[in-house]
Amino acid sequence: MPASTQPDVMDKLVSLAKRRGFIFQSSEIYGGAGSVWDYGPLGVELKKNLKDAWWHAMVRLRDDIEGLDAAILMHPRVWEASGHVAGFTDPLVDCRTCKGRFRADKLQDARCPQKPSKRPGEAEQCQLTEPRLFNLMFKTFMGPVEESAATVYLRPETAQGIFVNFLNVQQSTRQKVPFGIAQIGKAFRNEITPGNFIFRTREFEQMEMQFFVEPGTDMEWFQFWKEERMRWHQGLGLAAARLNYHEHQGSELAHYARAAFDIEFDFGGTLGFQEVEGIHNRGDFDLSRHQEYSGKKLEYFDQPKNKRYLPYVIETSVGADRTTLALLVNAYREETVQGEEEGRTVLRLSPSLAPIKAAVFALTKKDGMPEMAHRIASSLRQHFPTDYDETGSIGKRYRRQDEVGTPFCITVDGESVKDGTVTVRDRDTLSQDRIAADAVRDYVRERIA
Ligand code: GAP
């Protein structure tokens, strides 16, 4: 993978995210829960806009993909059939000296906690154990009494909910192969080395789509989805130079995959290029295993061809949290502003993803300005998230909105009260247009679509 040329902005982002209400550490007042994060008022809007963009592109705009919302808890046999009970493991090594715990296959990327200039095992005093396999699935119990209840798992991927519902969806919607099923939902993995903020966490959201195709057409569809998904990431505003494909070779391939590409994003600094989405050709691995383990036929009947077969599956699987982090990293800028001493921090998020679309200011708290500004804010709120702010200098208010990526700031001044016009300031160009207050809604709406 190419080396990163981008600065490391992670620490600054973690601090901004907390200060401005994007992302908080889970259970912070108890010292925090390991690698679990909560989304605050602005974070929940940003992540929701991202998920809506995915749902719109994958489900609403296509007549060959259906939506689904399967449960997190599933029959335990699902995970035997899927191969996760036997094979969803990472090799784990412990260091007897520093008590650090590492993935044996990622030692080259890890740092010794006692000697950060060295890798685990490199310093003289390091004593690493032999690798042992560690299953990443969280276990819990279904039923009231722990001993007699069945062990169930928190799903480590949303995909299996789609496979077990393949025929339910196909028959109820009368879709014909090729067609897809898409869902957004939580997944859980007891990661050995989580970290880098919301990059690798133990609870996260996936946006997954399984596209069912006739065997023999699978590599064509694989190519199609590989390109389509890259276009989607670029459409979010992620810089093309920061996006990259990585093809899986040999042992890198997951147990279910015949071919796989990652779409990688350059997170900057030492993290560099990392997977945000996986595109996999899963063949008929999952449907044939579920057919075998459940004893239920999952074949598709192709009427025009008068034949039955198990479709092959092309999967697109993207992390909502990891992509949210990519959006924040991609958008973060520290800029100088002409004519001003103080620079600004700005999130240049695409307006369609920005958590707040417009902020309305009263220049001063008198002469009818707050009343007019309040009226405008509440009318805009009917259409998109809108903030109201009347405290501090106008410059300070602009900076506060820049820092959270608000694309438009509307100011009500003395002139506004007389002639019904306001100024609209653009976050990126800093240009200001004076327009009729009545026209603000359409002005913003056209620019945030
Ligand atoms: N169903 C296939 C599957 O789950 P994956 O490559 O293991 O494939 C897909 O995961 C995506 O889910 C990744 O590209 C990443 O964006 C996200 N993801 C996986 N593990 C994650 C974790 N521990 N924390 C945050 N996101 C994760």
Side-chain angles (χ1 to χ4, degrees), residues 49-70:
N49 292 339
L50 171 67
K51 291 187 287 184
D52 287 349
W54 185 86
W55 193 258
H56 191 69
M58 299 297 273
V59 181
R60 294 272 164 82
L61 288 183
R62 299 190 65 102
D63 62 1
D64 58 356
I65 299 187
E66 304 287 344
L68 180 74
D69 183 11

Side-chain angles (χ1 to χ4, degrees), residues 110-120 122-123:
R111 295 275 157 260
C112 169
Q114 281 182 357
K115 281 214 160 196
S117 61
K118 305 236 180 229
R119 295 183 189 124
E122 264 187 357

Side-chain angles (χ1 to χ4, degrees), residues 157 189 191 199 201 204 206 208 256 275-276 315 317 319:
E157 61 171 12
R189 295 182 190 176
E191 300 277 4
F199 176 80
T201 53
F204 54 96
Q206 289 187 313
E208 296 202 300
Y256 49 71
E275 170 189 351
V276 284
E315 168 181 75
S317 174

Side-chain angles (χ1 to χ4, degrees), residues 230-245:
M230 179 60 97
R231 268 196 290 279
W232 182 79
H233 284 277
Q234 290 173 356
L236 294 178
L238 295 179
R242 295 185 86 144
L243 289 163
N244 190 40
Y245 285 118

Side-chain angles (χ1 to χ4, degrees), residues 24 38 41 73 80 82 100 115 198 208 237 258 287 298 301 320 351 354 361 364 375-376 416-417 433 435 437:
F24 310 121
D38 298 337
L73 299 176
E80 289 171 33
S82 69
K115 281 214 160 196
I198 53 170
E208 296 202 300
R258 297 169 150 243
L287 289 183
L298 292 177
F301 179 58
F361 308 151
T364 63
R375 269 198 311 277
I376 295 172
S416 310
V417 185
D433 284 345
I435 63 170

Side-chain angles (χ1 to χ4, degrees), residues 263-329:
I263 294 178
E264 296 182 327
F265 172 76
D266 182 359
F267 287 88
T270 50
L271 196 54
F273 280 88
Q274 296 287 344
E275 170 189 351
V276 284
E277 171 151 1
I279 294 113
H280 310 121
N281 180 347
R282 294 179 78 127
D284 63 1
F285 176 85
D286 303 272
L287 289 183
S288 68
R289 295 273 291 198
H290 285 306
Q291 186 166 267
E292 182 191 334
Y293 278 66
S294 68
K296 299 273 178 344
K297 280 258 173 265
L298 292 177
E299 282 172 340
Y300 169 76
F301 179 58
D302 188 331
Q303 227 159 11
K305 292 188 178 158
N306 194 26
K307 66 172 188 182
R308 284 182 194 283
Y309 59 86
L310 277 183
Y312 277 16
V313 171
I314 308 304
E315 168 181 75
T316 70
S317 174
V318 55
D321 309 271
R322 206 173 277 184
T323 310
T324 300
L325 181 61
L327 290 172
L328 288 169
V329 167

